[in-house]
Amino acid sequence: MGFHSTSSRSFNRLENVLIIGNGGRENSLAWAIQKNELVKKVYLVPGNAGSERIHKCERVKIDIKNKNELVEKIDQFKIDLVVIGPEIPLANGLADFLRKKDFKVFGPNKDGAKLEFSKSWAKEFMQDANIPTASFWKVNSLEEAKKVINSSSIPLVVKADGLASGKGVFIPNSKNECFEAAESIFNGRFGDSGNIVVLEEKIQGPEVSVFALCDGKRYTLLPTAQDHKRLNENDKGPNTGGMGAYSPAPLLTDDYLDRIIKEIIEPTINELNKRNIDYRGVIYFGLMITESGPKVIEYNCRFGDPECQTIMPLMDQNFVHLLEKCSMGNLTSGDKINTSDKVSGCVIATSKGYPLEYKTGFQIKIGKIDSNDCQIFDSGTSFSENGNLLTNGGRVLSVVCQEKDFDLVFEKAYKNLKEIHFEGIYFRNDIGYQVRKKFSKEN
């Protein structure tokens, strides 16, 4: 697919951008947006300690649930575009509210966000649109779940229906583990998100991520990526929100991507239109490449994390104009994303104990970083009263690098990680093993 940059001459004023969210995804979006020469200021609500290291960026510490105060700030700062990062405010209808106030918003309304916040709705959506996905059963009680699990010849994937910060999916190895996973969800492990459980046929194959910027009718694709969900090396351990990623994914050739466009992306957008859902934001397609072809594992209604941190450094300065065009419903067929010819890789550093229980408040010390084509995007950080950088989350920060090949990317990323210290720091050493030639020789 050819990429062409969009001209900035046909756009209105785009001086002040406000991003909602407090993670690494939002910091990487801010980093990409501030590169545009027309942008004077990027505000992050509420952002985190790392937001303040980004050029042109400023944190605004208000509670986004206080919608009146948020509107006051948007007016006060003369915001030209609002970008909503996380899934929870989208699921709660923040984009709907702000659009009714005549603000330009990148992020879907509540009806579009249902692609993510209800797995059963998304599965029924795919079924109606004939989009390839695993067979599934929607169950409302543990008794129903047991009947389905007992009737299956193989263990099933168990999913909490609602939002669970990437931790609501269980891939059991036995029927007994299926029962335990379903029981923990129905017993309130994820609150109301577990009132319904989705049981799915277990399918096999590598996972890839594809992102489409959508204006309601048209779309343009971001570079592809591969995420590493499991906590431990060799893809073992519990699912997490993501331990690292790389982009683009060589697994997706142009021919295979064309097949995904025809079988999955275009039918998804057509089905949204059929349901009168005016989707203005990014659609994340979590795909599995099976022997019988690509299948959708999940949709997200926002940029994936850490894929977003990985992809954003590949964007040129016109990226923010595409977000604005999506918000206004006026993408054109010529609007393509202009990207770097380098590849990018990201490694996440987490707190000991993540994704279960972990402690925060440990001081982060950063030594000599190779900052050439390398970024540190904070995910969970804060400042102490005397200005020290502290851990403040399960995923603490990501180290992202770009180079001409993946061996150089990860060599640089791991070199930088050795310069970052905090109590209990943990990261996988095998991120990108699929594309690192040196890694396969060493192992």
Side-chain angles (χ1 to χ4, degrees):
M1 295 177 72
F3 293 104
H4 312 282
S5 62
T6 47
S7 165
S8 60
R9 274 176 285 185
S10 59
F11 291 90
N12 302 323
R13 184 190 114 122
L14 189 59
E15 293 181 358
N16 301 307
V17 178
L18 185 140
I19 300 174
I20 289 169
N22 66 348
R25 166 184 48 229
E26 289 75 33
N27 280 349
S28 64
L29 284 166
W31 187 91
I33 287 169
Q34 61 79 28
K35 287 200 289 187
N36 188 280
E37 59 201 15
L38 297 182
V39 173
K40 291 184 178 176
K41 199 85 175 175
V42 181
Y43 297 93
L44 290 107
V45 180
N48 61 37
S51 306
E52 299 180 16
R53 293 198 304 269
I54 303 168
H55 185 48
K56 302 183 190 175
C57 290
E58 183 180 315
R59 292 179 72 189
V60 182
K61 297 177 189 176
I62 61 169
D63 183 353
I64 61 163
K65 291 176 187 170
N66 187 335
K67 292 179 179 177
N68 290 333
E69 190 177 5
L70 181 60
V71 167
E72 282 173 18
K73 292 295 183 188
I74 293 172
D75 281 330
Q76 179 188 335
F77 298 143
K78 297 183 171 61
I79 297 300
D80 302 303
L81 176 67
V82 178
V83 178
I84 303 176
E87 63 276 24
I88 291 173
L90 292 167
N92 289 338
L94 184 59
D96 312 57
F97 174 80
L98 293 177
R99 285 194 175 101
K100 282 175 185 166
K101 301 282 184 184
D102 289 330
F103 297 122
K104 284 187 283 187
V105 181
F106 180 87
N109 284 345
K110 186 172 183 174
D111 55 2
K114 207 164 185 181
L115 280 176
E116 179 169 4
F117 76 75
S118 173
K119 291 184 179 67
S120 59
W121 187 88
K123 294 294 282 190
E124 289 161 355
F125 174 98
M126 287 183 260
Q127 200 172 46
D128 290 348
N130 203 24
I131 291 166
T133 189
S135 302
F136 73 99
W137 298 263
K138 173 183 174 182
V139 294
N140 296 292
S141 69
L142 188 56
E143 287 308 308
E144 276 186 67
K146 284 180 176 176
K147 282 179 189 172
V148 175
I149 292 165
N150 278 327
S151 66
S152 172
S153 59
I154 56 168
L156 300 171
V157 177
V158 182
K159 297 182 176 182
D161 184 61
L163 299 175
S165 302
K167 303 177 194 76
V169 177
F170 300 86
I171 307 173
N173 293 311
S174 67
K175 286 191 178 186
N176 198 45
E177 287 181 14
C178 287
F179 293 136
E180 288 173 0
E183 188 173 36
S184 75
I185 296 171
F186 278 121
N187 282 346
R189 180 167 180 173
F190 303 107
D192 290 345
S193 290
N195 291 343
I196 296 170
V197 166
V198 174
L199 302 171
E200 271 188 21
E201 161 202 19
K202 191 186 285 188
I203 55 177
Q204 301 291 335
E207 294 183 31
V208 292
S209 305
V210 178
F211 299 87
L213 302 184
C214 186
D215 77 341
K217 303 289 183 195
R218 292 160 296 275
Y219 70 93
T220 186
L221 295 182
L222 286 163
T224 56
Q226 270 192 281
D227 181 16
H228 297 64
K229 285 276 185 232
R230 296 297 189 105
L231 178 68
N232 300 322
E233 285 161 27
N234 300 314
D235 295 322
K236 305 289 186 188
N239 265 337
T240 70
M243 295 298 294
Y246 59 86
S247 176
L251 181 68
L252 290 188
T253 61
D254 284 352
D255 286 346
Y256 207 91
L257 193 55
D258 285 342
R259 180 177 176 185
I260 289 167
I261 288 167
K262 290 186 181 75
E263 294 181 13
I264 293 170
I265 294 171
E266 290 182 349
T268 296
I269 292 167
N270 291 339
E271 183 68 18
L272 288 167
N273 285 328
K274 186 177 165 188
R275 294 175 181 228
N276 294 316
I277 295 173
D278 185 13
Y279 195 107
R280 300 186 185 190
V282 64
I283 307 176
Y284 162 101
F285 299 84
L287 308 176
M288 185 169 277
I289 308 305
T290 73
E291 284 183 1
S292 60
K295 293 188 177 183
V296 178
I297 306 170
E298 63 173 352
Y299 292 111
N300 286 346
C301 61
R302 35 82 197 190
F303 292 99
D305 178 338
E307 296 99 324
C308 189
Q309 292 94 301
T310 315
I311 291 170
M312 283 305 111
L314 300 176
M315 300 293 101
D316 84 336
Q317 69 154 335
N318 288 311
F319 170 70
V320 66
H321 290 312
L322 292 175
L323 302 186
E324 184 190 35
K325 281 193 152 195
C326 288
S327 76
M328 297 169 71
N330 65 4
L331 272 181
T332 67
S333 57
D335 286 323
K336 302 295 179 192
I337 290 166
N338 194 38
T339 59
S340 165
D341 56 3
K342 293 183 176 179
V343 298
S344 185
C346 164
V347 184
I348 299 281
T350 73
S351 299
K352 181 182 177 183
Y354 172 80
L356 302 174
E357 290 183 15
Y358 54 86
K359 293 179 180 175
T360 61
F362 298 112
Q363 186 173 346
I364 302 167
K365 293 183 178 176
I366 300 176
K368 191 177 179 184
I369 294 293
D370 178 356
S371 59
N372 182 35
D373 275 335
C374 215
Q375 305 80 34
I376 298 173
F377 294 126
D378 293 25
S379 297
T381 61
S382 61
F383 288 119
S384 67
E385 286 181 8
N386 57 2
N388 290 328
L389 187 64
L390 304 177
T391 65
N392 191 38
R395 289 188 294 175
V396 176
L397 55 82
S398 55
V399 175
V400 188
C401 298
Q402 299 78 50
E403 267 294 352
K404 62 181 181 182
D405 66 51
F406 286 115
D407 283 315
L408 292 170
V409 158
F410 287 105
E411 187 180 311
K412 192 190 288 186
Y414 284 109
K415 177 184 160 194
N416 278 343
L417 269 166
K418 287 177 183 172
E419 297 291 322
I420 297 171
H421 306 278
F422 58 85
E423 189 173 321
I425 186 172
Y426 172 77
F427 52 86
R428 281 178 58 167
N429 283 291
D430 66 343
I431 301 298
Y433 66 85
Q434 305 97 320
V435 290
R436 287 158 64 186
K437 295 184 182 71
K438 288 180 185 174
F439 185 88
S440 57
K441 286 171 189 170
E442 290 163 5
N443 290 269

